């Protein structure tokens, strides 16, 4: 619901054709943009013993995945929406970007962690003429190479590991972030309570957790057609149904008939078992999974005076010698499959 109210406020602020209530008396303004809050006396909902992240290792149907995630989302939402510091109205959205988007990344893994290993080059590769990059680290620095690189590669690095949720949320609002990226999801150390307060009008999930949040505070999930096909997204299926309904009623192509329609929100508790994701989708063309291209080869032989062919030939020689050193008795034509994750992540 807070997502809908935020959308209404953005429309009234920045779309000139929309009715404006924000300039009127304070009380009507509060009522029109009032956020959903929960009474502090409301008991926190219980969560399942099975964590959302571990659902991937069990043969569970899509609805069970949604329910486990949703019960965790309810607990997090309760924590955020009962906070006494939460304002009565939704947070004021930043003005539309004129030249640059302010994009913020929130993570507890800006250290010597697989997420940083994979995404290390991403922060530097943002086109600086179009993006200003903010990072919010919710864990203390381990002084690793990865932490230092990310600190250098973003425009504004904020160590908020010792800050309260209120302080972090207010800083994100003050930084006027247009897109806030959750790199944790339901993983260890993630701070979903920040997102539950909705400090940003557009919040997405990327990399850290590939499943659904089953929460209204996550608008988009970044994926691809193979890892998360469109039919797995509840909002996509709902949009298709609504489109068919408009066609049957002869309302297609009529903007007035669509005015005021709610966002394609779905009920995670639905009895339907043929979809698993409550977010809308953002699909990368090939794979959503980021892997740092600079980790795939050594740099000590990549001098500019060498041709690409020479560099690759040298790289092949180094890889072959390393393979023979580690696996001296395995024939050269044998394919070696390796998993550098915990063993439970290998599906039997």
């Amino acid at each position: 619901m807070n997502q809908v109210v935020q959308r209404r406020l953005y429309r009234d602020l920045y779309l000139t054709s929309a009715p404006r209530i924000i300039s009127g008396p304070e009380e009507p303004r509060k009522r029109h943009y009032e956020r959903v809050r929960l009474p502090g006396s409301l008991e926190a909902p219980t969560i399942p013993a099975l964590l959302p992240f571990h659902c991937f290792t069990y043969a569970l149907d899509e609805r069970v995945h949604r329910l486990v995630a949703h019960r965790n989302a309810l607990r997090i939402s309760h924590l955020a929406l009962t906070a006494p510091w939460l304002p009565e109205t939704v947070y004021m959205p930043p003005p539309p970007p004129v030249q640059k988007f302010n994009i913020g990344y929130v993570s507890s893994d800006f250290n010597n962690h697989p997420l940083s290993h994979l995404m290390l080059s991403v922060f530097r590769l943002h086109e600086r003429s179009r993006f200003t990059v903010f990072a919010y680290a919710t864990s203390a620095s381990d002084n690793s190479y990865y932490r230092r690189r990310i600190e250098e590669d973003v425009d504004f690095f904020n160590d908020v590991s010792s800050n309260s949720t209120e302080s972090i949320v207010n800083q994100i609002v003050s930084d006027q972030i247009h897109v806030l990226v959750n790199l944790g999801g339901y993983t260890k150390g993630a701070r979903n309570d920040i997102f539950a307060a909705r400090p940003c009008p557009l919040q997405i999930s990327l990399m850290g957790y590939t499943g659904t949040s089953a929460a209204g505070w996550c608008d988009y999930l970044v994926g691809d057609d193979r890892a998360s096909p469109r039919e797995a997204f509840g909002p996509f299926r709902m949009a298709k149904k609504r489109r068919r309904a408009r066609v049957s009623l002869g309302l297609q192509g009529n903007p007035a008939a669509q005015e005021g329609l709610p966002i394609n929100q779905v009920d995670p508790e639905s009895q339907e078992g043929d979809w698993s994701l409550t977010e809308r989708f953002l699909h990368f063309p090939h794979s959503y999974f980021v892997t740092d291209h600079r980790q795939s080869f050594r740099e000590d032989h990549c001098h500019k005076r060498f041709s690409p062919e020479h560099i690759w030939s040298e790289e092949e020689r180094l890889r072959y010698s390393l393979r023979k050193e580690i696996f001296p008795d395995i024939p050269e034509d044998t394919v070696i499959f390796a998993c550098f994750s915990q063993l439970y992540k290998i599906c039997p």
Side-chain angles (χ1 to χ4, degrees):
M1 190 61 188
N2 288 329
Q3 180 189 32
V4 176
V5 178
Q6 269 191 327
R7 186 186 186 191
R8 181 194 306 151
L9 177 56
Y10 191 92
R11 179 199 65 187
D12 292 351
L13 271 172
Y14 303 121
L15 301 182
T16 55
S17 62
R20 290 176 175 266
I21 300 178
I22 53 174
S23 58
E26 183 177 356
E27 281 308 312
R29 186 167 69 249
K30 280 186 177 180
R31 288 196 300 271
H32 200 63
Y33 306 116
E34 186 176 8
R35 75 164 63 243
V36 173
R37 300 183 67 182
L38 298 176
S41 58
L42 185 67
E43 185 178 352
T46 58
I47 58 175
L50 179 63
L51 298 175
F53 190 79
H54 293 158
C55 284
F56 297 123
T57 65
Y58 295 96
L60 305 174
D61 64 35
E62 282 84 352
R63 184 170 184 270
V64 175
H65 277 261
R66 289 201 319 263
L67 291 177
V68 172
H70 189 228
R71 302 302 163 83
N72 281 268
L74 290 176
R75 181 66 169 257
I76 295 166
S77 296
H78 176 274
L79 174 66
L81 299 181
T82 56
W85 50 265
L86 207 62
E88 293 182 11
T89 58
V90 295
Y91 288 109
M92 191 70 70
V98 178
Q99 292 182 324
K100 291 186 177 183
F101 282 89
N102 295 333
I103 182 168
Y105 292 92
V106 180
S107 179
S108 62
D109 300 324
F110 290 143
N111 284 313
N112 186 8
H113 183 277
L115 180 86
S116 293
H117 300 174
L118 295 169
M119 291 195 63
L120 192 60
S121 292
V122 169
F123 307 102
R124 179 178 292 181
L125 291 174
H126 283 72
E127 190 176 337
R128 286 309 196 268
S129 63
R130 299 179 59 196
F131 295 96
T132 302
V133 183
F134 296 74
Y136 303 92
T138 60
S139 59
S141 174
D142 61 354
N143 202 34
S144 64
Y145 164 74
Y146 300 97
R147 177 68 166 233
R148 295 195 303 271
R149 264 286 306 276
I150 296 172
E151 289 175 350
E152 294 171 359
D153 288 352
V154 299
D155 297 297
F156 299 96
F157 189 92
N158 304 281
D159 184 341
V160 295
S161 57
S162 59
N163 295 25
S164 65
T165 303
E166 178 184 10
S167 173
I168 300 171
V169 167
N170 287 338
Q171 182 169 354
I172 293 170
V173 174
S174 176
D175 289 339
Q176 296 195 319
I177 301 299
H178 295 105
V179 180
L180 192 64
V181 183
N182 187 346
L183 293 175
Y186 292 126
T187 58
K188 184 178 180 181
R191 291 294 304 275
N192 291 301
D193 54 321
I194 297 170
F195 291 83
R198 288 205 69 96
C200 180
L202 185 58
Q203 302 183 161
I204 70 176
S205 179
L206 169 69
M207 277 294 289
Y209 179 75
T210 59
T212 184
S213 66
W217 31 263
C218 185
D219 304 313
Y220 288 91
L221 174 66
V222 177
D224 59 65
D225 282 325
R226 182 177 296 275
S228 50
R230 297 182 181 193
E231 290 294 334
F233 289 85
F236 176 75
R237 299 170 70 94
M238 176 181 285
K240 286 178 61 177
K241 291 179 181 178
R242 289 175 59 183
R243 193 177 303 115
R244 287 196 295 266
R246 288 200 299 270
V247 170
S248 65
L249 294 172
L251 299 177
Q252 70 274 23
N254 183 357
Q258 302 178 38
E259 180 65 26
L261 286 175
I263 299 171
N264 288 325
Q265 291 180 320
V266 292
D267 180 10
E269 303 278 334
S270 166
Q271 294 296 322
E272 297 177 355
D274 51 359
W275 56 271
S276 58
L277 307 169
T278 64
E279 298 83 358
R280 286 166 286 176
F281 67 86
L282 283 175
H283 274 174
F284 283 0
H286 303 294
S287 172
Y288 83 94
F289 199 75
V290 179
T291 51
D292 191 336
H293 67 290
R294 301 184 69 86
Q295 287 200 111
S296 62
F297 62 93
R298 292 167 50 175
E299 298 185 24
D300 52 3
H301 59 279
C302 297
H303 197 279
K304 290 183 179 179
R305 70 173 182 269
F306 296 130
S307 67
E309 292 77 14
H310 174 86
I311 291 173
W312 178 242
S313 175
E314 182 65 9
E315 179 65 26
E316 285 189 312
R317 185 189 66 79
L318 290 170
R319 293 185 183 189
Y320 176 78
S321 61
L322 183 61
R323 173 185 168 121
K324 294 301 291 184
E325 180 182 337
I326 299 175
F327 305 106
D329 300 324
I330 296 181
E332 294 179 15
D333 59 352
T334 300
V335 177
I336 301 173
F337 293 95
C339 177
F340 301 103
S341 303
Q342 297 183 60
L343 290 179
Y344 77 83
K345 295 183 181 180
I346 303 178
C347 179

